[in-house]
Amino acid sequence: MLVRHGTRRSHAVTYHLLRPRHNSTNATRAQNVRPLESILIANRGEIAIRVNKTAAQHGIRTTTLYTDPDAAAQHAHSSPRSFNLGPTAAYLDQAKILRLAKDHACQAIHPGYGFLSENAEFARKCAEAGITFIGPPPNAIEDMGDKARSKEIMTAAGVLCVPGYHGSDQSPDKLADEAEKIGYPVLIKAVRGGGGKGMRIVQNANEFQDMLDSARSEARNSFGNDEVLVEKYITTPRHIEVQVFADKYGNSLALGERDCSIQRRHQKILEESPAPELDDSIRKDLWAKARAAAEAVNYEGAGTVEFIFDNDTGKFYFMEMNTRLQVEHPVTEMVTGLDLVHWQIMVAEGRRLPLTQDQVEEQIKSRGHAIEARIYAENPDKGFIPDSGKLSHVRLPATSEDIRIDTGFVEGDTVSSHYDPMIAKLIVRGESREDAVRKLAVALEEYEVAGPVTNIDFLKRCCVSKDFAEGRVETGYIPKHHDELFAKRVPTPEVLIEAAVASLIRASRDVTGEQALTSTRTNGFSWLAPQGSLQQRTFHFRADDDEPQPGTSPTIYEVQVQQLSVGRYYALCQGSAYEIASTYDADLKTYTTYFPHTRHTSRIIMTDSSEPGVPGTAQIHLFTPQGSFRLQSATPAWIAKALGTSEKANSLLSPMPCKILRVDVKPGDKVKKDQTLLVIESMKMETVIRSPGEGLVVKRIVHGQGEVVGSGVELVEFEEVE
Ligand code: ADP
């Protein structure tokens, strides 16, 4: 019997809904149930915390693991016991993980996603060691883990696959021939691929060889296997996937679909359920095909069957099956009211699926719409390259039944460059899609992160983008809406003046200590009164994303401020003069400035120089009524550099901490604009560094192949441009 806890509204159904009945009946005994009392979580970050939460709710003892760089990570502190695996890559150390599970009497291992979650060999070793692997049987992982094999199985089961070549002849000529037959554009995919890695779009035959090489090299680095398949590239597709579940008794269910079309680098950033603007008959057909996929491989547990939906023809094709819980599973939890981790545990214990397909459909009908936004430390303006560093400030939107945040980080934690840069997942539910999108936009407005660059502002722009708001999504959404999504926002005079006042206060605090701030207090606020700063000061700022490039200069904003009396200032910015009053709330870190025309309250977070070798540069992160801004405050030396008058203007700097995989040029080479200079790798992702200008002559390769460098390090020096 289903028991609903909570309020009268159906979406208030909580995780208690499917609490196991511990007093085992004859029926459950007949299922050969083996209750799990102790689980080892072989993963990190938010998924480890999330699995831990469900296990704890059901009285299951958990053990977590961490590595040297993760010793202080939140997940390592989320369980009563936690063990150090050692080096960075040790989340993949099968022998060590199994030994720890045995030594500490863990009956089961939950692999989360990524790492060992789709490793058939590991699942097999668990079985041999008498440990339950919370996932599908090894054979199902093997069959579906190979993109080529899974397509054969699906074709045999009568499910349409994208036209392509999935054969074993991997010679470049054969592959190029097949690409020609399929017809360009084609997509090269690593057969063992995942997370968008090892995948390249090829527009014409000329590009084929280069793209094949780069897909193979990425695949080798990420998956230790460089086999590829070639398939038709569908030009206006949507990514629609179905969450499936199966038990050990041949029962399978489709728990609704998710649309994950908003992607960058073939990786999802917004996921939602139900898929917008989808005909109901197609939806039901997708569910049926997904169940057929699960049944074709005798699936058990949670899986996702991914389809590519061709917007031009209305046809959909099987793409692949992921044999694990997915990052975006909370979207399904929000629209079904189910706890999928609990279901995984139940299936692993040998229980039957507790609902029928009709019951699932009933449940979904009443629960509206859910969307997940993935919050990453990455820079959308620089091709979404990952960022890392200390989270100097984090402020979360208030959570509720309809607003959920899954994260493995709190303020003060460091996003490590060793692992995936996802900071959090923000999941919202609304009565309708419109309602959910609106709630997501508001929650993102309230989400503040200072430190590494994040995609939060980018996600906000996606939410208000007209086509997205109206449900017209496709995987090419981001490039197609480029101008709208990447529009530069210029800081307003109010923002610049607040940055200047905060800088003035900070400068005087550095000299005179904290007390200088608090000369008079009223109602908990401080009137800002830096001592000894009655003289006029001039500040220079530039937007953080407006970086000095060889040959161009960023916009420098100049602001003059002068303190008139306690808390009162005179400010000159962009030709206009303002008399303002400013207060500071130390608890909230907010500055409130009264301009003649408006009151402006902003949270201002200042961090020290992030530019190596440039002393005195402060980064100022302002969360204002006009949105969030990242400014760099400039010293005279910095301005010289920005204007290209210093020697460094002829250098190409590393955009992130990385390893240099390949250098394609040598001193004396004259390069074309966009010519490949070198290939770097960061967080297992390859990035090609191209020439920023035409006719530049390489003077020196500062760091060579195999070297590991930090962010902002000189990589290539060019001859002076005449
Ligand atoms: P991965 O396992 O690396 O995530 P997928 O096969 O799931 O790779 O594909 C990831 C994304 O790449 C899809 O969501 C879709 O956007 C795009 N994609 C995959 N196959 C095709 C195709 N044949 N045509 C167009 N886009 C595709």
Side-chain angles (χ1 to χ4, degrees), residues 360-399:
V360 170
E361 284 172 37
E362 257 329 285
Q363 195 114 329
I364 288 176
K365 266 192 213 143
S366 61
R367 291 185 58 86
H369 198 98
I371 311 186
E372 171 177 286
R374 297 194 195 184
I375 311 235
Y376 279 99
E378 67 179 18
N379 192 334
D381 293 323
K382 287 193 198 166
F384 298 95
I385 57 168
D387 201 6
S388 54
K390 187 171 169 194
L391 297 165
S392 49
H393 166 79
V394 176
R395 199 177 161 85
L396 304 178
T399 53

Short mmCIF file of all heavy atoms in Angstrom, two decimals, residues 360-399:
data_model
loop_
_atom_site.label_atom_id
_atom_site.label_comp_id
_atom_site.label_asym_id
_atom_site.label_seq_id
_atom_site.Cartn_x
_atom_site.Cartn_y
_atom_site.Cartn_z
N VAL A 360 2.87 4.54 -12.28
CA VAL A 360 3.90 5.55 -12.54
C VAL A 360 3.29 6.69 -13.37
O VAL A 360 3.47 7.87 -13.06
CB VAL A 360 5.10 4.94 -13.30
CG1 VAL A 360 6.05 6.02 -13.79
CG2 VAL A 360 5.85 3.94 -12.43
N GLU A 361 2.54 6.32 -14.39
CA GLU A 361 1.96 7.34 -15.27
C GLU A 361 0.98 8.23 -14.50
O GLU A 361 0.96 9.45 -14.69
CB GLU A 361 1.28 6.69 -16.47
CG GLU A 361 2.32 6.22 -17.47
CD GLU A 361 1.76 5.39 -18.61
OE1 GLU A 361 0.65 5.71 -19.08
OE2 GLU A 361 2.45 4.44 -19.03
N GLU A 362 0.19 7.63 -13.64
CA GLU A 362 -0.73 8.39 -12.79
C GLU A 362 0.04 9.43 -11.98
O GLU A 362 -0.31 10.60 -11.90
CB GLU A 362 -1.43 7.44 -11.81
CG GLU A 362 -2.83 7.05 -12.13
CD GLU A 362 -3.62 8.11 -12.87
OE1 GLU A 362 -4.02 9.09 -12.22
OE2 GLU A 362 -3.83 7.95 -14.09
N GLN A 363 1.12 8.96 -11.36
CA GLN A 363 1.94 9.79 -10.49
C GLN A 363 2.53 10.97 -11.27
O GLN A 363 2.52 12.10 -10.82
CB GLN A 363 3.10 8.92 -9.98
CG GLN A 363 3.80 9.51 -8.83
CD GLN A 363 3.58 8.65 -7.59
OE1 GLN A 363 2.53 8.02 -7.45
NE2 GLN A 363 4.54 8.64 -6.72
N ILE A 364 3.04 10.67 -12.48
CA ILE A 364 3.68 11.71 -13.29
C ILE A 364 2.68 12.79 -13.68
O ILE A 364 3.00 13.97 -13.69
CB ILE A 364 4.33 11.09 -14.56
CG1 ILE A 364 5.58 10.28 -14.16
CG2 ILE A 364 4.70 12.14 -15.58
CD1 ILE A 364 6.24 9.54 -15.31
N LYS A 365 1.44 12.37 -13.99
CA LYS A 365 0.42 13.31 -14.45
C LYS A 365 0.19 14.45 -13.47
O LYS A 365 -0.11 15.57 -13.84
CB LYS A 365 -0.90 12.57 -14.66
CG LYS A 365 -1.09 12.11 -16.08
CD LYS A 365 -2.51 11.65 -16.28
CE LYS A 365 -2.52 10.52 -17.30
NZ LYS A 365 -3.49 9.49 -16.98
N SER A 366 0.31 14.12 -12.17
CA SER A 366 -0.09 15.12 -11.17
C SER A 366 1.07 15.97 -10.68
O SER A 366 0.89 16.80 -9.82
CB SER A 366 -0.71 14.39 -9.97
OG SER A 366 0.26 13.52 -9.42
N ARG A 367 2.26 15.77 -11.20
CA ARG A 367 3.39 16.43 -10.56
C ARG A 367 4.08 17.50 -11.38
O ARG A 367 5.17 17.95 -11.06
CB ARG A 367 4.41 15.39 -10.07
CG ARG A 367 3.84 14.58 -8.89
CD ARG A 367 4.87 13.65 -8.33
NE ARG A 367 6.06 14.33 -7.89
CZ ARG A 367 6.23 14.87 -6.70
NH1 ARG A 367 5.27 14.81 -5.82
NH2 ARG A 367 7.36 15.48 -6.39
N GLY A 368 3.46 17.92 -12.47
CA GLY A 368 3.95 19.09 -13.18
C GLY A 368 5.26 18.86 -13.91
O GLY A 368 5.46 17.83 -14.56
N HIS A 369 6.17 19.83 -13.76
CA HIS A 369 7.35 19.88 -14.61
C HIS A 369 8.58 20.16 -13.75
O HIS A 369 8.52 20.95 -12.81
CB HIS A 369 7.16 21.03 -15.60
CG HIS A 369 8.07 20.94 -16.78
ND1 HIS A 369 7.68 20.42 -17.99
CD2 HIS A 369 9.36 21.31 -16.94
CE1 HIS A 369 8.69 20.47 -18.84
NE2 HIS A 369 9.72 21.02 -18.23
N ALA A 370 9.69 19.51 -14.07
CA ALA A 370 10.93 19.77 -13.31
C ALA A 370 12.08 20.09 -14.27
O ALA A 370 12.12 19.58 -15.39
CB ALA A 370 11.29 18.55 -12.46
N ILE A 371 12.98 20.95 -13.81
CA ILE A 371 14.17 21.30 -14.60
C ILE A 371 15.39 21.27 -13.68
O ILE A 371 15.31 21.71 -12.53
CB ILE A 371 14.11 22.72 -15.20
CG1 ILE A 371 12.79 22.95 -15.92
CG2 ILE A 371 15.26 22.96 -16.17
CD1 ILE A 371 12.71 24.26 -16.65
N GLU A 372 16.48 20.79 -14.22
CA GLU A 372 17.75 20.82 -13.49
C GLU A 372 18.73 21.71 -14.24
O GLU A 372 18.84 21.63 -15.46
CB GLU A 372 18.33 19.41 -13.40
CG GLU A 372 19.75 19.38 -12.83
CD GLU A 372 20.31 17.96 -12.69
OE1 GLU A 372 19.87 17.25 -11.77
OE2 GLU A 372 21.16 17.57 -13.50
N ALA A 373 19.42 22.56 -13.50
CA ALA A 373 20.50 23.36 -14.08
C ALA A 373 21.79 22.88 -13.43
O ALA A 373 21.87 22.79 -12.21
CB ALA A 373 20.28 24.84 -13.80
N ARG A 374 22.77 22.56 -14.25
CA ARG A 374 24.06 22.14 -13.69
C ARG A 374 24.94 23.37 -13.52
O ARG A 374 25.20 24.08 -14.48
CB ARG A 374 24.77 21.17 -14.62
CG ARG A 374 24.02 19.90 -14.83
CD ARG A 374 24.96 18.92 -15.47
NE ARG A 374 24.24 17.80 -16.02
CZ ARG A 374 24.84 16.76 -16.58
NH1 ARG A 374 26.16 16.72 -16.65
NH2 ARG A 374 24.14 15.75 -17.07
N ILE A 375 25.40 23.56 -12.30
CA ILE A 375 26.25 24.72 -12.01
C ILE A 375 27.70 24.26 -12.08
O ILE A 375 28.10 23.39 -11.31
CB ILE A 375 25.90 25.29 -10.63
CG1 ILE A 375 24.39 25.45 -10.56
CG2 ILE A 375 26.71 26.55 -10.33
CD1 ILE A 375 23.79 26.68 -10.24
N TYR A 376 28.42 24.83 -13.00
CA TYR A 376 29.81 24.42 -13.22
C TYR A 376 30.77 25.56 -12.94
O TYR A 376 30.44 26.73 -13.20
CB TYR A 376 30.02 24.03 -14.68
CG TYR A 376 29.59 22.64 -15.04
CD1 TYR A 376 28.36 22.41 -15.65
CD2 TYR A 376 30.42 21.55 -14.80
CE1 TYR A 376 27.96 21.12 -16.01
CE2 TYR A 376 30.03 20.27 -15.16
CZ TYR A 376 28.82 20.06 -15.76
OH TYR A 376 28.44 18.79 -16.11
N ALA A 377 31.97 25.21 -12.46
CA ALA A 377 33.07 26.16 -12.46
C ALA A 377 33.64 26.09 -13.87
O ALA A 377 34.40 25.17 -14.19
CB ALA A 377 34.12 25.77 -11.43
N GLU A 378 33.20 27.00 -14.70
CA GLU A 378 33.68 27.01 -16.08
C GLU A 378 33.39 28.38 -16.67
O GLU A 378 32.58 29.14 -16.14
CB GLU A 378 32.97 25.92 -16.92
CG GLU A 378 31.49 26.18 -17.11
CD GLU A 378 30.80 25.13 -17.97
OE1 GLU A 378 31.36 24.03 -18.14
OE2 GLU A 378 29.70 25.42 -18.47
N ASN A 379 34.07 28.67 -17.77
CA ASN A 379 33.93 30.00 -18.34
C ASN A 379 33.23 29.95 -19.70
O ASN A 379 33.85 29.63 -20.71
CB ASN A 379 35.33 30.62 -18.47
CG ASN A 379 35.25 32.09 -18.77
OD1 ASN A 379 34.27 32.56 -19.34
ND2 ASN A 379 36.27 32.82 -18.40
N PRO A 380 31.93 30.26 -19.73
CA PRO A 380 31.19 30.19 -20.99
C PRO A 380 31.82 31.09 -22.07
O PRO A 380 31.83 30.71 -23.24
CB PRO A 380 29.79 30.70 -20.62
CG PRO A 380 29.67 30.43 -19.16
CD PRO A 380 31.05 30.62 -18.60
N ASP A 381 32.38 32.23 -21.65
CA ASP A 381 32.95 33.15 -22.65
C ASP A 381 34.23 32.61 -23.28
O ASP A 381 34.68 33.11 -24.30
CB ASP A 381 33.26 34.51 -22.01
CG ASP A 381 31.98 35.22 -21.62
OD1 ASP A 381 31.00 35.10 -22.37
OD2 ASP A 381 31.94 35.84 -20.54
N LYS A 382 34.85 31.64 -22.64
CA LYS A 382 36.06 31.06 -23.23
C LYS A 382 35.78 29.62 -23.65
O LYS A 382 36.52 28.70 -23.30
CB LYS A 382 37.19 31.06 -22.19
CG LYS A 382 37.77 32.43 -21.91
CD LYS A 382 39.06 32.24 -21.13
CE LYS A 382 39.50 33.49 -20.43
NZ LYS A 382 40.53 33.18 -19.44
N GLY A 383 34.69 29.44 -24.33
CA GLY A 383 34.38 28.09 -24.83
C GLY A 383 34.08 27.11 -23.70
O GLY A 383 34.31 25.92 -23.86
N PHE A 384 33.58 27.60 -22.57
CA PHE A 384 33.20 26.75 -21.42
C PHE A 384 34.38 25.98 -20.86
O PHE A 384 34.22 24.86 -20.38
CB PHE A 384 32.08 25.77 -21.82
CG PHE A 384 30.81 26.44 -22.25
CD1 PHE A 384 30.54 26.68 -23.59
CD2 PHE A 384 29.89 26.86 -21.31
CE1 PHE A 384 29.37 27.31 -23.99
CE2 PHE A 384 28.72 27.50 -21.70
CZ PHE A 384 28.46 27.72 -23.04
N ILE A 385 35.57 26.54 -20.90
CA ILE A 385 36.69 25.80 -20.32
C ILE A 385 36.53 25.76 -18.80
O ILE A 385 36.07 26.72 -18.18
CB ILE A 385 38.09 26.37 -20.68
CG1 ILE A 385 38.19 27.82 -20.27
CG2 ILE A 385 38.44 26.13 -22.12
CD1 ILE A 385 39.60 28.33 -20.35
N PRO A 386 36.92 24.63 -18.21
CA PRO A 386 36.75 24.48 -16.76
C PRO A 386 37.60 25.48 -15.99
O PRO A 386 38.67 25.88 -16.44
CB PRO A 386 37.27 23.06 -16.50
CG PRO A 386 37.33 22.39 -17.81
CD PRO A 386 37.51 23.45 -18.84
N ASP A 387 37.09 25.89 -14.84
CA ASP A 387 37.86 26.73 -13.94
C ASP A 387 37.98 25.98 -12.61
O ASP A 387 37.28 24.99 -12.38
CB ASP A 387 37.16 28.08 -13.75
CG ASP A 387 38.14 29.16 -13.27
OD1 ASP A 387 39.36 28.89 -13.20
OD2 ASP A 387 37.68 30.27 -12.95
N SER A 388 38.87 26.44 -11.77
CA SER A 388 39.01 25.78 -10.47
C SER A 388 39.40 26.86 -9.47
O SER A 388 39.60 28.00 -9.83
CB SER A 388 40.08 24.70 -10.56
OG SER A 388 41.28 25.24 -11.07
N GLY A 389 39.52 26.48 -8.21
CA GLY A 389 39.94 27.44 -7.19
C GLY A 389 39.00 27.47 -6.00
O GLY A 389 38.01 26.72 -5.95
N LYS A 390 39.34 28.33 -5.06
CA LYS A 390 38.60 28.38 -3.80
C LYS A 390 37.27 29.12 -3.97
O LYS A 390 37.23 30.19 -4.59
CB LYS A 390 39.47 29.10 -2.76
CG LYS A 390 38.88 29.07 -1.40
CD LYS A 390 39.85 29.59 -0.37
CE LYS A 390 39.09 29.78 0.93
NZ LYS A 390 39.79 30.56 1.90
N LEU A 391 36.22 28.56 -3.42
CA LEU A 391 34.92 29.22 -3.45
C LEU A 391 34.92 30.25 -2.31
O LEU A 391 34.65 29.92 -1.17
CB LEU A 391 33.80 28.20 -3.26
CG LEU A 391 33.70 27.13 -4.36
CD1 LEU A 391 32.81 25.97 -3.92
CD2 LEU A 391 33.17 27.75 -5.64
N SER A 392 35.26 31.49 -2.65
CA SER A 392 35.42 32.47 -1.58
C SER A 392 34.07 32.94 -1.04
O SER A 392 33.99 33.49 0.05
CB SER A 392 36.25 33.66 -2.06
OG SER A 392 35.76 34.12 -3.29
N HIS A 393 33.02 32.71 -1.80
CA HIS A 393 31.69 33.09 -1.33
C HIS A 393 30.66 32.20 -2.01
O HIS A 393 30.71 32.01 -3.22
CB HIS A 393 31.45 34.57 -1.68
CG HIS A 393 30.01 35.00 -1.57
ND1 HIS A 393 29.43 35.30 -0.36
CD2 HIS A 393 29.05 35.18 -2.51
CE1 HIS A 393 28.16 35.65 -0.57
NE2 HIS A 393 27.91 35.60 -1.86
N VAL A 394 29.75 31.64 -1.23
CA VAL A 394 28.66 30.86 -1.81
C VAL A 394 27.39 31.22 -1.06
O VAL A 394 27.35 31.22 0.18
CB VAL A 394 28.89 29.33 -1.66
CG1 VAL A 394 27.68 28.55 -2.18
CG2 VAL A 394 30.14 28.88 -2.39
N ARG A 395 26.36 31.58 -1.78
CA ARG A 395 25.07 31.86 -1.17
C ARG A 395 24.01 31.15 -2.00
O ARG A 395 23.92 31.34 -3.20
CB ARG A 395 24.83 33.37 -1.18
CG ARG A 395 23.80 33.82 -0.21
CD ARG A 395 23.71 35.34 -0.26
NE ARG A 395 22.47 35.77 0.30
CZ ARG A 395 22.26 35.95 1.60
NH1 ARG A 395 23.26 35.78 2.44
NH2 ARG A 395 21.09 36.33 2.04
N LEU A 396 23.25 30.30 -1.34
CA LEU A 396 22.31 29.45 -2.07
C LEU A 396 20.90 30.00 -2.01
O LEU A 396 20.53 30.62 -1.01
CB LEU A 396 22.30 28.04 -1.46
CG LEU A 396 23.64 27.32 -1.38
CD1 LEU A 396 23.45 25.97 -0.71
CD2 LEU A 396 24.24 27.14 -2.77
N PRO A 397 20.12 29.74 -3.03
CA PRO A 397 18.69 30.07 -2.93
C PRO A 397 18.06 29.19 -1.84
O PRO A 397 18.58 28.11 -1.56
CB PRO A 397 18.14 29.70 -4.30
CG PRO A 397 19.20 28.97 -5.02
CD PRO A 397 20.49 29.11 -4.29
N ALA A 398 16.96 29.68 -1.26
CA ALA A 398 16.31 28.88 -0.21
C ALA A 398 15.75 27.62 -0.85
O ALA A 398 15.16 27.67 -1.93
CB ALA A 398 15.19 29.69 0.41
N THR A 399 15.95 26.48 -0.20
CA THR A 399 15.40 25.24 -0.76
C THR A 399 14.02 24.97 -0.16
O THR A 399 13.68 25.48 0.91
CB THR A 399 16.33 24.05 -0.49
OG1 THR A 399 16.60 24.01 0.92
CG2 THR A 399 17.63 24.17 -1.24
#
